[in-house]
Amino acid sequence: MDGSIDLMINMGPQHPSTHGVFRLVIWVDGERIIKSEPHIGYLHRGSEKICESEHYAQIVTLFDRMDYVGNLNSELAFCLATEKIMDVDVPERAEYIRVILCELNRIASHMLFYGVYGLDAGAMTPILYAFREREKIQNLFESITGARMMHNYIRIGGIKEDLPGDFQKRIVEVLDHLKRGIEECDALISKNEMFLARTKGVGSISGSDAIDFGVTGPALRASGVAEDIRVTDSYSIYDRFDFNIPVGTYGDCWDRFYVRVEEMRESIKIIEQAVRSLPEGDISASVRRIVRPPKGEVFVRTESPRGDLAVFLVSDGTDKPYRVKVRAPSFANLQALEQMLQGAYLADAVLILGSIDLIMGEVDR
Amino acid sequence: MIGGIIGFVGGLAVTLKSAWREPVTAEYPESEKRLNLEDRYMGFPALTWDGDVGEPYCTGCMVCVRECPTQCMSAEMKDNPLYPLKSRRRKIIDSFEINLARCILCGICVDVCSFDAIEMSHEHELSKYERNANRADLPSLISMGRDYQKKIGWNPRNPEKNNGLPQVEEGGLDSGAGEAVEVEE
Ligand code: SF4
Ligand code: SF4
């Protein structure tokens, strides 16, 4: 650098592209980013601490609000942890319903990513398509759980109430619609030369680097590592379904984008299999409303739409947990951002940030 | 270059196709143009009304108050003036308040209530003209509840237990209804 001074640029905390409240400090030399520093904590609500003063059943509502786009997946993580420590067997039907809803939730979450990513790239149209598709899922959720987002539906030992009578009919409609929608979304920008030029080769990270940073989920799979907790450390009943793990090659923004599009197709496969073999029976094991798990600790990993969502739960035998630690995928994925931004153009910073699909509620908890 | 044009035109084709579709959005403030709510929709909690007796189901046992994760409710009970001749409930709700702005619509209060006294209504709008209007008091909660009961044709889930009419036989009277009960465990 011939005596030039680096320019420091503040992105956020109220920047429209930061997907929440998030501040990114970037030092640039000309157009190139030479250093970056994420600042988090603007959305910190102390959820983990609040968990220590709430009953187990009440904590489910807090998990809803951590990853507020993949609510059901977060609920599931906590309920699995509690069930494991209490050694409760969840009825088959509840397991199937959980899987169906979680996968629908994954599609909804990826749809949101798809739309917002279009916005990040400067395309206004995709979000309108994505939201139209997502709305179908939200409506179905509303008819099943009673809420569009904060469901509080997955409960310790099962689920809140059985599926409504017209579920079979509606799910078929929704799946049909989604299949068409995903193809349409794919056709809309995935082959667009301008989109490709902006995302291919941008913000690459190698598989080994990604693992070192603790990156999980679609962001890791985009770098060519076929690691999906649903398969590699299967929980619930995911081992009964036949689906692929889409992987990318270069770990660039395009791969991260396309892995998610592919994942939506895989999720549809899972839902179809689950709906076909949905058994009859109970929807909840008999657990008390106020549970008092025995002393001990458990660690449960699940695959949320953003990656490895793990819950570490310590019980001291009372009706409130002693400690709830959440390993949030967004938080870990965010750490790789510095590496991805290194040497990229300033104009691509928003795209790279968007491609990790951060949910700030989960990063800050 | 050619590939680029094909990809671009492919995207445009999708846009063109959807130009002829029906719109999926609805207009908000006009009630007849809005989207329908599902039956299970969880709006604000509201108190149900026992039309047979002419009093609310709620006995003011405060189980829901204790179990609410956001502590947004408060309740007080009183001796029921209609007991025992007209009603089976010994105690009845005296005042009830839910801070709707604080309620997170989780439905836990409905789950824990063993008297079928509270339901998630379809009410969901928070904009009010007065500063305090989102602190719903007993009459407004009951009117919300009655609207909801009418709308969906509500029936108590547990009619034998929560029927408020006084029983004829001796001993059948006040089988626990109206007592402050501990949280079911
Ligand atoms: S739990 Fe039911 S009966 Fe008791 S105070 Fe709440 S609403 Fe009333
Ligand atoms: S719905 Fe939840 S937050 Fe609202 S009053 Fe009931 S328990 Fe409290």
Side-chain angles (χ1 to χ4, degrees):
Chain A
M1 272 176 277
D2 35 35
S4 61
I5 315 163
D6 305 334
L7 180 66
M8 188 192 100
I9 294 176
N10 245 320
M11 227 180 88
Q14 286 119 350
H15 193 278
S17 67
T18 49
H19 300 237
V21 244
F22 168 64
R23 172 165 162 237
L24 185 65
V25 185
I26 299 175
W27 284 267
V28 285
D29 178 22
E31 284 276 318
R32 294 275 180 188
I33 298 171
I34 49 176
K35 201 175 119 198
S36 60
E37 206 178 270
H39 290 251
I40 60 168
Y42 294 94
L43 213 55
H44 179 68
R45 294 158 292 177
S47 303
E48 286 182 9
K49 188 68 191 170
I50 302 176
C51 287
E52 292 166 20
S53 54
E54 303 263 305
H55 294 155
Y56 283 84
Q58 295 174 328
I59 293 174
V60 179
T61 63
L62 285 169
F63 271 73
D64 260 337
R65 284 154 182 82
M66 278 185 201
D67 179 354
Y68 41 70
V69 179
N71 323 70
L72 285 160
N73 285 280
S74 328
E75 285 178 20
L76 179 66
F78 177 72
C79 291
L80 284 177
T82 317
E83 282 152 13
K84 190 167 167 191
I85 201 168
M86 288 168 58
D87 206 7
V88 175
D89 281 327
V90 180
E92 285 275 291
R93 186 173 170 82
E95 294 270 27
Y96 273 85
I97 295 173
R98 283 176 174 190
V99 165
I100 294 172
L101 294 185
C102 284
E103 290 308 311
L104 279 172
N105 205 185
R106 190 182 311 275
I107 299 176
S109 165
H110 286 348
M111 270 294 173
L112 184 74
F113 164 80
Y114 166 88
V116 178
Y117 201 56
L119 284 183
D120 287 345
M124 197 44 221
T125 330
I127 188 128
L128 303 174
Y129 285 75
F131 263 68
R132 188 188 64 205
E133 307 311 331
R134 187 165 171 265
E135 202 60 20
K136 296 277 179 259
I137 305 180
Q138 305 289 73
N139 281 346
L140 185 68
F141 279 164
E142 189 183 312
S143 77
I144 299 171
T145 69
R148 294 159 50 80
M149 284 183 81
M150 308 302 165
H151 312 281
N152 193 16
Y153 183 70
I154 296 182
R155 299 290 171 87
I156 297 158
I159 50 172
K160 179 178 161 199
E161 54 188 330
D162 208 343
L163 299 170
D166 59 351
F167 171 75
Q168 291 285 353
K169 194 176 118 256
R170 287 187 71 162
I171 186 92
V172 173
E173 275 171 26
V174 169
L175 284 182
D176 270 357
H177 196 96
L178 279 179
K179 272 191 244 169
R180 246 183 302 134
I182 293 170
E183 296 317 317
E184 211 171 80
C185 288
D186 194 10
L188 188 64
I189 59 170
S190 299
K191 294 191 187 65
N192 188 311
E193 197 66 18
M194 285 177 270
F195 185 69
L196 294 184
R198 287 215 59 192
T199 51
K200 282 220 162 156
V202 173
S204 305
I205 187 164
S206 71
S208 59
D209 275 355
I211 291 176
D212 288 349
F213 276 113
V215 174
T216 47
L220 175 64
R221 294 193 279 278
S223 301
V225 185
E227 166 78 20
D228 186 327
I229 314 285
R230 287 176 292 172
V231 177
T232 51
D233 187 6
S234 180
Y235 58 96
S236 191
I237 49 164
Y238 276 107
D239 48 353
R240 299 187 198 171
F241 304 113
D242 174 31
F243 61 101
N244 305 321
I245 310 177
V247 288
T249 333
Y250 305 109
D252 53 8
C253 286
W254 163 256
D255 278 342
R256 282 193 285 276
F257 168 79
Y258 208 67
V259 159
R260 292 197 173 91
V261 175
E262 290 280 358
E263 251 180 42
M264 290 197 259
R265 299 195 175 112
E266 297 303 322
S267 291
I268 298 251
K269 273 195 214 165
I270 301 178
I271 300 168
E272 279 178 336
Q273 293 170 42
V275 170
R276 226 178 295 132
S277 44
L278 183 67
E280 292 297 317
D282 287 345
I283 50 144
S284 186
S286 57
V287 288
R288 294 168 166 186
R289 254 216 69 79
I290 295 193
V291 295
R292 290 199 170 79
K295 264 194 188 140
E297 52 187 54
V298 284
F299 184 69
V300 168
R301 300 165 78 196
T302 61
E303 181 77 21
S304 91
R306 263 149 284 284
D308 179 356
L309 172 67
V311 177
F312 177 61
L313 180 74
V314 184
S315 159
D316 55 0
T318 59
D319 52 359
K320 292 166 189 163
Y322 179 74
R323 174 83 169 100
V324 180
K325 159 81 186 135
V326 184
R327 188 255 181 229
S330 296
F331 179 71
N333 293 358
L334 179 60
Q335 300 181 43
L337 181 66
E338 269 186 81
Q339 169 95 4
M340 294 176 191
L341 284 176
Q342 196 78 40
Y345 283 116
L346 178 61
D348 290 335
V350 170
L351 269 179
I352 297 173
L353 176 62
S355 73
I356 316 177
D357 194 13
L358 295 172
I359 293 296
M360 293 320 286
E362 196 182 46
V363 175
D364 296 337
R365 295 191 289 284
Chain B
M1 181 66 195
I2 299 290
I5 292 175
I6 293 175
F8 185 63
V9 170
L12 277 185
V14 175
T15 312
L16 267 181
K17 250 196 290 173
S18 30
W20 278 276
R21 280 202 193 146
E22 288 276 299
V24 289
T25 46
E27 282 180 44
Y28 170 61
E30 281 149 78
S31 48
E32 67 284 0
K33 286 187 184 164
R34 283 196 217 168
L35 298 173
N36 283 331
L37 295 175
E38 304 286 346
D39 283 350
R40 284 192 186 175
Y41 179 80
M42 296 198 294
F44 298 124
L47 296 179
T48 50
W49 183 256
D50 189 346
D52 298 340
V53 187
E55 62 183 15
Y57 277 93
C58 177
T59 58
C61 69
M62 287 190 43
V63 170
C64 57
V65 176
R66 262 178 284 153
E67 280 300 297
C68 172
T70 56
Q71 288 103 41
C72 66
M73 349 166 81
S74 59
E76 263 169 48
M77 62 162 67
K78 64 176 180 200
D79 291 332
N80 190 355
L82 303 181
Y83 173 82
L85 293 178
K86 293 212 189 94
S87 163
R88 219 175 109 206
R89 299 187 181 89
R90 273 198 203 180
K91 304 278 182 184
I92 199 77
I93 187 73
D94 184 27
S95 67
F96 204 106
E97 185 184 282
I98 302 183
N99 186 348
L100 300 182
R102 204 166 161 177
C103 168
I104 56 171
L105 311 180
C106 62
I108 287 183
C109 47
V110 179
D111 293 348
V112 293
C113 178
S114 39
F115 301 109
D116 299 330
I118 192 163
E119 280 290 346
M120 303 304 274
S121 70
H122 285 181
E123 199 70 43
H124 59 272
E125 278 156 343
L126 273 175
S127 346
K128 304 273 161 64
Y129 286 106
E130 298 96 53
R131 175 178 267 253
N132 240 354
N134 278 324
R135 290 182 159 269
D137 55 2
L138 186 60
S140 60
L141 286 171
I142 288 177
S143 83
M144 272 159 70
R146 292 182 79 160
D147 288 347
Y148 172 75
Q149 282 170 288
K150 209 156 33 162
K151 185 175 168 201
I152 67 152
W154 183 85
N155 282 313
R157 289 164 215 219
N158 201 345
E160 291 95 67
K161 177 166 174 285
N162 292 326
N163 173 11
L165 292 173
Q167 251 125 345
V168 192
E169 306 101 301
E170 274 294 296
L173 216 65
D174 61 69
S175 51
E179 293 293 330
V181 291
E182 271 304 300
V183 183
E184 234 176 82
E185 281 187 40

